[in-house]
């Protein structure tokens, strides 16, 4: 059975780029173009792994992360952001992000993050 | 044959890519500011608007009008992209700006010194943000730009000072705007860049190359 991945990012380009990195024989990918609809999708599909942007309209990524972790305290959320301030990284890790990757996405980093997430999923 | 409107020249996907470019650029700028000045910046979703050169003056006037008075750092740059960047902050008094730096001793200076220090702080912040942002955009679009010295202005902006050679009638203008907020105080500002391109084809090609290299 395929794992479920949710990509929440207001940039179509960013969503396409991340999706391109994810092997489609192992993962079903769903997308959302803003934080609020992303949260709705999260509740609907209960993804195994979520890729999350921070700077988004309607609801920003910090809020989405907070709400996702309330729904599922074991949620694996990979934050993918152009905001590379140290304090931003500290904030999202404190909110329970699995890891933080810098935009533009690098395929190897995305695959490595997925593999690390898989190790945890295997243990759950 | 009627020339297509600039609004029709960039596709929605190309505008999305430009938005992502400024997202990257502003991410770098905020990180630069955090490193140099120890200031944390909240970022908002960037806005993009395509406009005709004839509309620039009225747009800038609308953005830079405020009953409480604005503090503006203006900086021109030139490369294949030519343009002007405005970092704008509205505050009631100079102490609010100096509070960003978190050094209470600064507020013990006389009023004139506090005011001058606030201006210098703003110019420095503007220089960092504008420089990082424009440089990143230029880098992504494979361009090199040179900068003119930043200028501090207070109160209002006279658009008749916009140099005509920057925004010629046959050029193509993209306005990029980002609102930001400093964590230390409830101080908001925004940055907008008014870029002129002589060739929309060069811009489209550069965006296409960026899209191809994005992952």
């Amino acid at each position: 059975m395929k794992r479920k991945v949710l990509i929440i990012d207001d940039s179509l380009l960013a969503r396409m780029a991340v999706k391109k990195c994810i092997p489609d024989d192992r993962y079903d990918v769903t997308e959302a173009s803003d934080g609020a609809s992303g949260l709705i999708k999260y509740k609907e599909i209960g993804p195994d792994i979520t890729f999350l942007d921070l700077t988004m309209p309607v609801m920003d990524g910090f809020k989405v992360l907070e709400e996702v972790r309330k729904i599922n305290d074991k949620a694996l959320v990979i934050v993918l952001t152009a905001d590379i301030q140290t304090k931003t990284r500290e904030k999202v890790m404190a909110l329970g992000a699995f890891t933080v990757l810098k935009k533009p996405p690098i395929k190897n980093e995305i695959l490595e993050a997925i593999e690390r997430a898989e190790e945890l999923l295997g243990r759950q | 044959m009627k020339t297509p409107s600039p609004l029709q020249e960039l596709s929605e996907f190309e505008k999305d890519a430009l938005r992502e470019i400024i997202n990257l650029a502003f991410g770098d700028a905020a990180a630069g500011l955090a490193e140099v000045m120890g200031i944390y910046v909240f970022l908002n979703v960037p806005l993009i608007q395509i406009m005709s050169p004839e509309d620039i003056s009225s747009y800038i006037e609308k953005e830079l009008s405020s009953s409480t008075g604005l503090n503006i750092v203006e900086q021109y740059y030139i490369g294949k992209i030519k343009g002007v960047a405005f970092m704008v902050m509205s505050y009631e008094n100079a102490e609010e700006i100096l509070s960003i730096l978190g050094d209470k001793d600064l507020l013990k200076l006389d009023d004139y010194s506090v005011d001058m220090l606030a201006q210098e702080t703003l110019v420095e912040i503007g220089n960092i943000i504008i420089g990082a942002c424009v440089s990143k955009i230029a880098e992504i679009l494979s361009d090199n730009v040179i900068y003119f010295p930043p200028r501090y202005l207070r109160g209002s902006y006279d658009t008749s000072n916009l140099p005509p050679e920057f925004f010629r009638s046959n050029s193509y203008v993209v306005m990029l705007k980002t609102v930001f907020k400093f964590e230390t105080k409830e101080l908001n500002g925004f940055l907008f860049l008014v870029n002129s391109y002589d060739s929309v084809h060069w811009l489209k090609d550069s965006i296409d190359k960026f899209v191809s290299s994005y992952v």
Side-chain angles (χ1 to χ4, degrees), chain B residues 173-202:
Chain B
V173 180
V174 178
M175 188 283 302
L176 306 165
K177 179 179 172 183
T178 302
V179 177
F180 57 85
K181 194 164 85 164
F182 293 111
E183 184 187 41
T184 314
K185 288 285 175 181
E186 282 294 315
L187 279 169
N188 296 337
F190 61 92
L191 170 71
F192 71 94
L193 312 178
V194 186
N195 297 317
S196 169
Y197 305 90
D198 288 338
S199 165
V200 70
H201 299 293
W202 171 82

PDB file of all heavy atoms in Angstrom, chain B residues 173-202:
ATOM      1  N   VAL B 173       6.983  46.922 -16.799  1.00  0.00           N
ATOM      2  CA  VAL B 173       7.224  47.149 -15.373  1.00  0.00           C
ATOM      3  C   VAL B 173       6.584  46.066 -14.522  1.00  0.00           C
ATOM      4  O   VAL B 173       5.413  45.740 -14.677  1.00  0.00           O
ATOM      5  CB  VAL B 173       6.662  48.534 -14.958  1.00  0.00           C
ATOM      6  CG1 VAL B 173       6.908  48.759 -13.476  1.00  0.00           C
ATOM      7  CG2 VAL B 173       7.319  49.634 -15.772  1.00  0.00           C
ATOM      8  N   VAL B 174       7.387  45.533 -13.631  1.00  0.00           N
ATOM      9  CA  VAL B 174       6.867  44.561 -12.671  1.00  0.00           C
ATOM     10  C   VAL B 174       7.063  45.127 -11.279  1.00  0.00           C
ATOM     11  O   VAL B 174       8.170  45.507 -10.917  1.00  0.00           O
ATOM     12  CB  VAL B 174       7.615  43.210 -12.771  1.00  0.00           C
ATOM     13  CG1 VAL B 174       7.082  42.240 -11.734  1.00  0.00           C
ATOM     14  CG2 VAL B 174       7.477  42.633 -14.161  1.00  0.00           C
ATOM     15  N   MET B 175       6.003  45.214 -10.543  1.00  0.00           N
ATOM     16  CA  MET B 175       6.077  45.697  -9.175  1.00  0.00           C
ATOM     17  C   MET B 175       6.032  44.483  -8.248  1.00  0.00           C
ATOM     18  O   MET B 175       5.176  43.619  -8.383  1.00  0.00           O
ATOM     19  CB  MET B 175       4.892  46.619  -8.893  1.00  0.00           C
ATOM     20  CG  MET B 175       4.942  47.348  -7.574  1.00  0.00           C
ATOM     21  SD  MET B 175       4.522  46.334  -6.127  1.00  0.00           S
ATOM     22  CE  MET B 175       2.882  45.775  -6.537  1.00  0.00           C
ATOM     23  N   LEU B 176       6.990  44.410  -7.354  1.00  0.00           N
ATOM     24  CA  LEU B 176       7.029  43.322  -6.378  1.00  0.00           C
ATOM     25  C   LEU B 176       6.926  43.942  -4.998  1.00  0.00           C
ATOM     26  O   LEU B 176       7.658  44.886  -4.689  1.00  0.00           O
ATOM     27  CB  LEU B 176       8.366  42.561  -6.482  1.00  0.00           C
ATOM     28  CG  LEU B 176       8.718  42.031  -7.871  1.00  0.00           C
ATOM     29  CD1 LEU B 176      10.189  41.629  -7.930  1.00  0.00           C
ATOM     30  CD2 LEU B 176       7.833  40.863  -8.221  1.00  0.00           C
ATOM     31  N   LYS B 177       6.016  43.421  -4.177  1.00  0.00           N
ATOM     32  CA  LYS B 177       5.835  44.032  -2.853  1.00  0.00           C
ATOM     33  C   LYS B 177       5.799  42.971  -1.768  1.00  0.00           C
ATOM     34  O   LYS B 177       5.168  41.923  -1.939  1.00  0.00           O
ATOM     35  CB  LYS B 177       4.535  44.829  -2.832  1.00  0.00           C
ATOM     36  CG  LYS B 177       4.243  45.491  -1.489  1.00  0.00           C
ATOM     37  CD  LYS B 177       2.967  46.293  -1.536  1.00  0.00           C
ATOM     38  CE  LYS B 177       2.596  46.778  -0.150  1.00  0.00           C
ATOM     39  NZ  LYS B 177       1.327  47.502  -0.146  1.00  0.00           N
ATOM     40  N   THR B 178       6.492  43.249  -0.676  1.00  0.00           N
ATOM     41  CA  THR B 178       6.447  42.353   0.479  1.00  0.00           C
ATOM     42  C   THR B 178       6.259  43.187   1.730  1.00  0.00           C
ATOM     43  O   THR B 178       6.953  44.182   1.921  1.00  0.00           O
ATOM     44  CB  THR B 178       7.776  41.575   0.609  1.00  0.00           C
ATOM     45  OG1 THR B 178       8.015  40.843  -0.573  1.00  0.00           O
ATOM     46  CG2 THR B 178       7.722  40.617   1.769  1.00  0.00           C
ATOM     47  N   VAL B 179       5.313  42.765   2.564  1.00  0.00           N
ATOM     48  CA  VAL B 179       5.115  43.433   3.847  1.00  0.00           C
ATOM     49  C   VAL B 179       5.885  42.656   4.901  1.00  0.00           C
ATOM     50  O   VAL B 179       5.895  41.420   4.881  1.00  0.00           O
ATOM     51  CB  VAL B 179       3.611  43.475   4.210  1.00  0.00           C
ATOM     52  CG1 VAL B 179       3.402  44.097   5.579  1.00  0.00           C
ATOM     53  CG2 VAL B 179       2.832  44.248   3.160  1.00  0.00           C
ATOM     54  N   PHE B 180       6.548  43.349   5.787  1.00  0.00           N
ATOM     55  CA  PHE B 180       7.275  42.650   6.839  1.00  0.00           C
ATOM     56  C   PHE B 180       7.015  43.292   8.187  1.00  0.00           C
ATOM     57  O   PHE B 180       6.554  44.428   8.271  1.00  0.00           O
ATOM     58  CB  PHE B 180       8.783  42.640   6.528  1.00  0.00           C
ATOM     59  CG  PHE B 180       9.380  44.013   6.341  1.00  0.00           C
ATOM     60  CD1 PHE B 180       9.813  44.773   7.420  1.00  0.00           C
ATOM     61  CD2 PHE B 180       9.516  44.553   5.066  1.00  0.00           C
ATOM     62  CE1 PHE B 180      10.359  46.028   7.239  1.00  0.00           C
ATOM     63  CE2 PHE B 180      10.064  45.812   4.881  1.00  0.00           C
ATOM     64  CZ  PHE B 180      10.488  46.550   5.964  1.00  0.00           C
ATOM     65  N   LYS B 181       7.296  42.515   9.209  1.00  0.00           N
ATOM     66  CA  LYS B 181       7.077  43.004  10.567  1.00  0.00           C
ATOM     67  C   LYS B 181       8.276  42.608  11.411  1.00  0.00           C
ATOM     68  O   LYS B 181       8.740  41.474  11.349  1.00  0.00           O
ATOM     69  CB  LYS B 181       5.810  42.363  11.110  1.00  0.00           C
ATOM     70  CG  LYS B 181       5.265  43.007  12.353  1.00  0.00           C
ATOM     71  CD  LYS B 181       3.836  42.568  12.598  1.00  0.00           C
ATOM     72  CE  LYS B 181       3.795  41.275  13.352  1.00  0.00           C
ATOM     73  NZ  LYS B 181       2.445  41.021  13.922  1.00  0.00           N
ATOM     74  N   PHE B 182       8.776  43.534  12.207  1.00  0.00           N
ATOM     75  CA  PHE B 182       9.868  43.219  13.116  1.00  0.00           C
ATOM     76  C   PHE B 182       9.303  42.638  14.394  1.00  0.00           C
ATOM     77  O   PHE B 182       8.303  43.129  14.912  1.00  0.00           O
ATOM     78  CB  PHE B 182      10.683  44.474  13.439  1.00  0.00           C
ATOM     79  CG  PHE B 182      11.423  45.016  12.252  1.00  0.00           C
ATOM     80  CD1 PHE B 182      11.046  46.215  11.679  1.00  0.00           C
ATOM     81  CD2 PHE B 182      12.490  44.328  11.704  1.00  0.00           C
ATOM     82  CE1 PHE B 182      11.717  46.709  10.572  1.00  0.00           C
ATOM     83  CE2 PHE B 182      13.165  44.816  10.597  1.00  0.00           C
ATOM     84  CZ  PHE B 182      12.786  46.010  10.027  1.00  0.00           C
ATOM     85  N   GLU B 183       9.963  41.613  14.927  1.00  0.00           N
ATOM     86  CA  GLU B 183       9.436  40.936  16.103  1.00  0.00           C
ATOM     87  C   GLU B 183       9.486  41.829  17.338  1.00  0.00           C
ATOM     88  O   GLU B 183       8.614  41.803  18.181  1.00  0.00           O
ATOM     89  CB  GLU B 183      10.230  39.667  16.374  1.00  0.00           C
ATOM     90  CG  GLU B 183       9.663  38.859  17.538  1.00  0.00           C
ATOM     91  CD  GLU B 183      10.546  37.695  17.901  1.00  0.00           C
ATOM     92  OE1 GLU B 183      11.777  37.869  17.900  1.00  0.00           O
ATOM     93  OE2 GLU B 183      10.006  36.628  18.190  1.00  0.00           O
ATOM     94  N   THR B 184      10.553  42.624  17.467  1.00  0.00           N
ATOM     95  CA  THR B 184      10.798  43.359  18.707  1.00  0.00           C
ATOM     96  C   THR B 184       9.635  44.282  19.058  1.00  0.00           C
ATOM     97  O   THR B 184       9.234  44.399  20.182  1.00  0.00           O
ATOM     98  CB  THR B 184      12.074  44.207  18.592  1.00  0.00           C
ATOM     99  OG1 THR B 184      13.109  43.408  18.030  1.00  0.00           O
ATOM    100  CG2 THR B 184      12.505  44.731  19.933  1.00  0.00           C
ATOM    101  N   LYS B 185       9.116  44.963  18.070  1.00  0.00           N
ATOM    102  CA  LYS B 185       8.016  45.902  18.316  1.00  0.00           C
ATOM    103  C   LYS B 185       6.964  45.715  17.233  1.00  0.00           C
ATOM    104  O   LYS B 185       7.210  45.076  16.223  1.00  0.00           O
ATOM    105  CB  LYS B 185       8.531  47.345  18.239  1.00  0.00           C
ATOM    106  CG  LYS B 185       9.392  47.781  19.404  1.00  0.00           C
ATOM    107  CD  LYS B 185       8.545  48.026  20.631  1.00  0.00           C
ATOM    108  CE  LYS B 185       9.421  48.352  21.842  1.00  0.00           C
ATOM    109  NZ  LYS B 185       8.656  48.565  23.036  1.00  0.00           N
ATOM    110  N   GLU B 186       5.822  46.359  17.472  1.00  0.00           N
ATOM    111  CA  GLU B 186       4.785  46.319  16.442  1.00  0.00           C
ATOM    112  C   GLU B 186       5.100  47.317  15.333  1.00  0.00           C
ATOM    113  O   GLU B 186       4.341  48.223  15.042  1.00  0.00           O
ATOM    114  CB  GLU B 186       3.434  46.669  17.066  1.00  0.00           C
ATOM    115  CG  GLU B 186       2.810  45.526  17.839  1.00  0.00           C
ATOM    116  CD  GLU B 186       2.440  44.362  16.902  1.00  0.00           C
ATOM    117  OE1 GLU B 186       1.862  44.623  15.833  1.00  0.00           O
ATOM    118  OE2 GLU B 186       2.769  43.233  17.241  1.00  0.00           O
ATOM    119  N   LEU B 187       6.249  47.121  14.726  1.00  0.00           N
ATOM    120  CA  LEU B 187       6.658  48.009  13.638  1.00  0.00           C
ATOM    121  C   LEU B 187       6.506  47.257  12.336  1.00  0.00           C
ATOM    122  O   LEU B 187       7.044  46.170  12.182  1.00  0.00           O
ATOM    123  CB  LEU B 187       8.121  48.423  13.809  1.00  0.00           C
ATOM    124  CG  LEU B 187       8.403  49.539  14.786  1.00  0.00           C
ATOM    125  CD1 LEU B 187       9.882  49.646  15.048  1.00  0.00           C
ATOM    126  CD2 LEU B 187       7.884  50.859  14.250  1.00  0.00           C
ATOM    127  N   ASN B 188       5.791  47.842  11.438  1.00  0.00           N
ATOM    128  CA  ASN B 188       5.613  47.204  10.145  1.00  0.00           C
ATOM    129  C   ASN B 188       6.282  48.036   9.070  1.00  0.00           C
ATOM    130  O   ASN B 188       6.479  49.244   9.218  1.00  0.00           O
ATOM    131  CB  ASN B 188       4.124  47.093   9.795  1.00  0.00           C
ATOM    132  CG  ASN B 188       3.397  46.197  10.754  1.00  0.00           C
ATOM    133  OD1 ASN B 188       3.999  45.354  11.379  1.00  0.00           O
ATOM    134  ND2 ASN B 188       2.109  46.395  10.868  1.00  0.00           N
ATOM    135  N   GLY B 189       6.580  47.349   8.006  1.00  0.00           N
ATOM    136  CA  GLY B 189       7.101  48.093   6.872  1.00  0.00           C
ATOM    137  C   GLY B 189       6.782  47.316   5.621  1.00  0.00           C
ATOM    138  O   GLY B 189       6.239  46.214   5.674  1.00  0.00           O
ATOM    139  N   PHE B 190       7.065  47.898   4.532  1.00  0.00           N
ATOM    140  CA  PHE B 190       6.968  47.124   3.313  1.00  0.00           C
ATOM    141  C   PHE B 190       8.079  47.527   2.357  1.00  0.00           C
ATOM    142  O   PHE B 190       8.653  48.614   2.441  1.00  0.00           O
ATOM    143  CB  PHE B 190       5.582  47.210   2.657  1.00  0.00           C
ATOM    144  CG  PHE B 190       5.139  48.583   2.223  1.00  0.00           C
ATOM    145  CD1 PHE B 190       5.395  49.026   0.927  1.00  0.00           C
ATOM    146  CD2 PHE B 190       4.457  49.414   3.084  1.00  0.00           C
ATOM    147  CE1 PHE B 190       4.977  50.278   0.510  1.00  0.00           C
ATOM    148  CE2 PHE B 190       4.037  50.670   2.672  1.00  0.00           C
ATOM    149  CZ  PHE B 190       4.294  51.098   1.386  1.00  0.00           C
ATOM    150  N   LEU B 191       8.344  46.583   1.518  1.00  0.00           N
ATOM    151  CA  LEU B 191       9.380  46.779   0.508  1.00  0.00           C
ATOM    152  C   LEU B 191       8.710  46.624  -0.835  1.00  0.00           C
ATOM    153  O   LEU B 191       7.997  45.642  -1.044  1.00  0.00           O
ATOM    154  CB  LEU B 191      10.460  45.707   0.671  1.00  0.00           C
ATOM    155  CG  LEU B 191      11.511  45.583  -0.426  1.00  0.00           C
ATOM    156  CD1 LEU B 191      12.461  46.769  -0.401  1.00  0.00           C
ATOM    157  CD2 LEU B 191      12.299  44.292  -0.259  1.00  0.00           C
ATOM    158  N   PHE B 192       8.870  47.575  -1.691  1.00  0.00           N
ATOM    159  CA  PHE B 192       8.425  47.301  -3.046  1.00  0.00           C
ATOM    160  C   PHE B 192       9.479  47.724  -4.063  1.00  0.00           C
ATOM    161  O   PHE B 192      10.212  48.679  -3.867  1.00  0.00           O
ATOM    162  CB  PHE B 192       7.014  47.843  -3.344  1.00  0.00           C
ATOM    163  CG  PHE B 192       6.863  49.334  -3.466  1.00  0.00           C
ATOM    164  CD1 PHE B 192       6.931  49.953  -4.700  1.00  0.00           C
ATOM    165  CD2 PHE B 192       6.600  50.097  -2.356  1.00  0.00           C
ATOM    166  CE1 PHE B 192       6.751  51.317  -4.813  1.00  0.00           C
ATOM    167  CE2 PHE B 192       6.415  51.467  -2.464  1.00  0.00           C
ATOM    168  CZ  PHE B 192       6.494  52.073  -3.692  1.00  0.00           C
ATOM    169  N   LEU B 193       9.544  46.910  -5.067  1.00  0.00           N
ATOM    170  CA  LEU B 193      10.522  47.093  -6.134  1.00  0.00           C
ATOM    171  C   LEU B 193       9.758  47.394  -7.410  1.00  0.00           C
ATOM    172  O   LEU B 193       8.813  46.678  -7.755  1.00  0.00           O
ATOM    173  CB  LEU B 193      11.337  45.818  -6.357  1.00  0.00           C
ATOM    174  CG  LEU B 193      11.920  45.120  -5.123  1.00  0.00           C
ATOM    175  CD1 LEU B 193      12.658  43.858  -5.553  1.00  0.00           C
ATOM    176  CD2 LEU B 193      12.866  46.031  -4.385  1.00  0.00           C
ATOM    177  N   VAL B 194      10.162  48.431  -8.092  1.00  0.00           N
ATOM    178  CA  VAL B 194       9.562  48.753  -9.385  1.00  0.00           C
ATOM    179  C   VAL B 194      10.631  48.496 -10.423  1.00  0.00           C
ATOM    180  O   VAL B 194      11.628  49.213 -10.488  1.00  0.00           O
ATOM    181  CB  VAL B 194       9.093  50.222  -9.440  1.00  0.00           C
ATOM    182  CG1 VAL B 194       8.350  50.490 -10.738  1.00  0.00           C
ATOM    183  CG2 VAL B 194       8.201  50.534  -8.254  1.00  0.00           C
ATOM    184  N   ASN B 195      10.451  47.405 -11.164  1.00  0.00           N
ATOM    185  CA  ASN B 195      11.473  46.970 -12.117  1.00  0.00           C
ATOM    186  C   ASN B 195      11.025  47.205 -13.541  1.00  0.00           C
ATOM    187  O   ASN B 195       9.889  46.923 -13.897  1.00  0.00           O
ATOM    188  CB  ASN B 195      11.739  45.470 -11.952  1.00  0.00           C
ATOM    189  CG  ASN B 195      12.302  45.135 -10.600  1.00  0.00           C
ATOM    190  OD1 ASN B 195      13.172  45.825 -10.117  1.00  0.00           O
ATOM    191  ND2 ASN B 195      11.783  44.094  -9.986  1.00  0.00           N
ATOM    192  N   SER B 196      11.955  47.679 -14.297  1.00  0.00           N
ATOM    193  CA  SER B 196      11.659  47.931 -15.699  1.00  0.00           C
ATOM    194  C   SER B 196      12.492  46.997 -16.569  1.00  0.00           C
ATOM    195  O   SER B 196      13.673  46.795 -16.307  1.00  0.00           O
ATOM    196  CB  SER B 196      12.015  49.389 -16.003  1.00  0.00           C
ATOM    197  OG  SER B 196      12.002  49.627 -17.381  1.00  0.00           O
ATOM    198  N   TYR B 197      11.858  46.386 -17.528  1.00  0.00           N
ATOM    199  CA  TYR B 197      12.576  45.498 -18.439  1.00  0.00           C
ATOM    200  C   TYR B 197      12.378  45.995 -19.858  1.00  0.00           C
ATOM    201  O   TYR B 197      11.249  46.178 -20.294  1.00  0.00           O
ATOM    202  CB  TYR B 197      12.014  44.072 -18.348  1.00  0.00           C
ATOM    203  CG  TYR B 197      12.013  43.539 -16.947  1.00  0.00           C
ATOM    204  CD1 TYR B 197      10.913  43.727 -16.122  1.00  0.00           C
ATOM    205  CD2 TYR B 197      13.114  42.861 -16.456  1.00  0.00           C
ATOM    206  CE1 TYR B 197      10.914  43.247 -14.832  1.00  0.00           C
ATOM    207  CE2 TYR B 197      13.109  42.374 -15.161  1.00  0.00           C
ATOM    208  CZ  TYR B 197      12.012  42.577 -14.353  1.00  0.00           C
ATOM    209  OH  TYR B 197      12.012  42.109 -13.081  1.00  0.00           O
ATOM    210  N   ASP B 198      13.471  46.173 -20.554  1.00  0.00           N
ATOM    211  CA  ASP B 198      13.333  46.587 -21.954  1.00  0.00           C
ATOM    212  C   ASP B 198      12.792  45.441 -22.796  1.00  0.00           C
ATOM    213  O   ASP B 198      12.148  45.641 -23.807  1.00  0.00           O
ATOM    214  CB  ASP B 198      14.689  47.039 -22.519  1.00  0.00           C
ATOM    215  CG  ASP B 198      15.099  48.383 -21.940  1.00  0.00           C
ATOM    216  OD1 ASP B 198      14.199  49.116 -21.479  1.00  0.00           O
ATOM    217  OD2 ASP B 198      16.299  48.699 -21.931  1.00  0.00           O
ATOM    218  N   SER B 199      13.091  44.230 -22.342  1.00  0.00           N
ATOM    219  CA  SER B 199      12.655  43.091 -23.134  1.00  0.00           C
ATOM    220  C   SER B 199      11.900  42.094 -22.262  1.00  0.00           C
ATOM    221  O   SER B 199      12.473  41.510 -21.355  1.00  0.00           O
ATOM    222  CB  SER B 199      13.878  42.390 -23.752  1.00  0.00           C
ATOM    223  OG  SER B 199      13.517  41.111 -24.236  1.00  0.00           O
ATOM    224  N   VAL B 200      10.620  41.935 -22.558  1.00  0.00           N
ATOM    225  CA  VAL B 200       9.856  40.945 -21.797  1.00  0.00           C
ATOM    226  C   VAL B 200      10.329  39.538 -22.170  1.00  0.00           C
ATOM    227  O   VAL B 200      10.226  38.615 -21.366  1.00  0.00           O
ATOM    228  CB  VAL B 200       8.341  41.129 -22.039  1.00  0.00           C
ATOM    229  CG1 VAL B 200       7.952  40.737 -23.459  1.00  0.00           C
ATOM    230  CG2 VAL B 200       7.532  40.314 -21.042  1.00  0.00           C
ATOM    231  N   HIS B 201      10.891  39.410 -23.376  1.00  0.00           N
ATOM    232  CA  HIS B 201      11.393  38.092 -23.788  1.00  0.00           C
ATOM    233  C   HIS B 201      12.567  37.667 -22.923  1.00  0.00           C
ATOM    234  O   HIS B 201      12.682  36.500 -22.555  1.00  0.00           O
ATOM    235  CB  HIS B 201      11.802  38.117 -25.274  1.00  0.00           C
ATOM    236  CG  HIS B 201      10.652  38.444 -26.162  1.00  0.00           C
ATOM    237  ND1 HIS B 201       9.592  37.592 -26.320  1.00  0.00           N
ATOM    238  CD2 HIS B 201      10.381  39.536 -26.914  1.00  0.00           C
ATOM    239  CE1 HIS B 201       8.700  38.148 -27.144  1.00  0.00           C
ATOM    240  NE2 HIS B 201       9.161  39.316 -27.518  1.00  0.00           N
ATOM    241  N   TRP B 202      13.446  38.622 -22.580  1.00  0.00           N
ATOM    242  CA  TRP B 202      14.560  38.288 -21.702  1.00  0.00           C
ATOM    243  C   TRP B 202      14.021  37.835 -20.341  1.00  0.00           C
ATOM    244  O   TRP B 202      14.478  36.861 -19.760  1.00  0.00           O
ATOM    245  CB  TRP B 202      15.482  39.512 -21.524  1.00  0.00           C
ATOM    246  CG  TRP B 202      16.506  39.271 -20.466  1.00  0.00           C
ATOM    247  CD1 TRP B 202      17.683  38.602 -20.605  1.00  0.00           C
ATOM    248  CD2 TRP B 202      16.408  39.625 -19.086  1.00  0.00           C
ATOM    249  NE1 TRP B 202      18.340  38.534 -19.403  1.00  0.00           N
ATOM    250  CE2 TRP B 202      17.585  39.158 -18.454  1.00  0.00           C
ATOM    251  CE3 TRP B 202      15.451  40.303 -18.322  1.00  0.00           C
ATOM    252  CZ2 TRP B 202      17.826  39.335 -17.100  1.00  0.00           C
ATOM    253  CZ3 TRP B 202      15.689  40.477 -16.976  1.00  0.00           C
ATOM    254  CH2 TRP B 202      16.875  39.998 -16.375  1.00  0.00           C
TER     255      TRP B 202
END
